[in-house]
Amino acid sequence: MTGARLLGSGSALPERVLTNADLAAQIDTSDEWIVERTGIRQRHIAGEGETTSTLAIAAARAAIADAGVEASSIDLIILATATPDNTFPATATKVQHALGCNGCVAFDVAAVCSGFLYALATADSLLKTGMGTRALVIGAETFSRILDWEDRTTCVLFGDGAGAIVLEASGEAGDDASTAPGILTSRLHADGAQHDLLYVDGGPSTTQTVGHLRMKGREVFRHAVVNLASVLNEVIEDAGISAEDIDWVVPHQANARILDATARKLGIPSEKVIVTVDQHANTSAASVPLAFDTARRDGRIKAGDLVVFEAMGGGFTWGASLMRV
Ligand code: ACO
């Protein structure tokens, strides 16, 4: 039996583009260093009036239009973000109100860069229990608002954006998971012992400020390759497939070198890895659905393809999910 199946996807980016050259004019860095170490060439940065919710609403509207359904038919909205508009209420409730589907379930998930994977697995599970029929799963972030723009080791790495998908509970007992569309399996993990390697140094209950992102990049890199390869192997084994069966890897877009190293560890050719980090940088919870929507719209990912999503982020948290589109 398969899980929830995809009906549509959408994404949104702020208008303003900040190139590596723009950054090099502000801080001690260079286009050459950023491209060589990360693969990033530019990122989009939210301007006045653009927030996590405005980006999420635009991505959600695009996904609902692509799905060809009415917003009022959505039963469940799960929004992954580490940069909500407000400490509370959940940004998902703002999205719900803008879409006009008031009354349905709406909440945020906080798992930083793995947030979309956590939201996807939660939506799939809730749809399987009969909590509803259609779910809107969103990853949306404005990391530019929690960056220390004087810290060259972090501020060059991130960007803003949003991606969304619409899912429908459709798996029937007896469906052949090797051909039927839907989520085959998901695996999630967290390790709170690694808190100090990637965190934000503020919050309502500690400093009463929003704080800034702090990261020990080299250590995060090392953990990322090991954890991502391990969770990818878990979903491959759980679904009873082999790495060669995968048509596309849609990874969290943190660093082109992490994408290469992880794919290499699994023996997946780099042509099967969707890469948008050059254009979007690391958009945290938004990066997986943004990359997925980009590759669906440019015709690479098609109906029937077997796609694996994977991400790792602050916490640490990490996860992977296999979906037949
Ligand atoms: N421009 C120029 N030089 C720089 C910059 C910069 N922007 N940033 C750092 N440097 C310098 C450092 O100061 C250091 O100089 P030194 O040797 O004189 O001390 C040198 O470059 C090397 O620094 P490292 O940190 O060792 O560089 P590294 O090759 O590890 O690359 C990077 C750094 C890109 C951050 C890499 O470690 C990385 O991508 N880590 C993973 C980040 C990640 O995946 N995050 C995902 C999760 S994000 C989330 O969950 C929110």
Side-chain angles (χ1 to χ4, degrees), residues 29 33 37-38 112-113 152 198 217-218 254-255 258 282 313-314:
T29 190
W33 190 95
R37 302 287 177 129
T38 72
V112 205
C113 297
R152 69 176 183 170
L198 179 53
R218 187 160 281 205
N255 181 318
I258 296 180
N282 180 347

Side-chain angles (χ1 to χ4, degrees), residues 109-129:
V109 161
V112 205
C113 297
S114 318
F116 184 77
L117 272 299
Y118 270 69
L120 188 66
T122 306
D124 185 38
S125 304
L126 289 175
L127 291 178
K128 278 180 181 151
T129 67

Side-chain angles (χ1 to χ4, degrees), residues 158-205:
F158 296 90
D160 301 333
I165 62 169
V166 179
L167 291 175
E168 185 170 71
S170 68
E172 304 274 335
D175 272 359
D176 180 358
S178 64
T179 52
I183 296 173
L184 276 70
T185 186
S186 299
R187 285 287 178 271
L188 303 173
H189 294 282
D191 179 7
Q194 310 301 339
H195 172 279
D196 294 352
L197 297 183
L198 179 53
Y199 66 103
V200 167
D201 62 2
S205 186

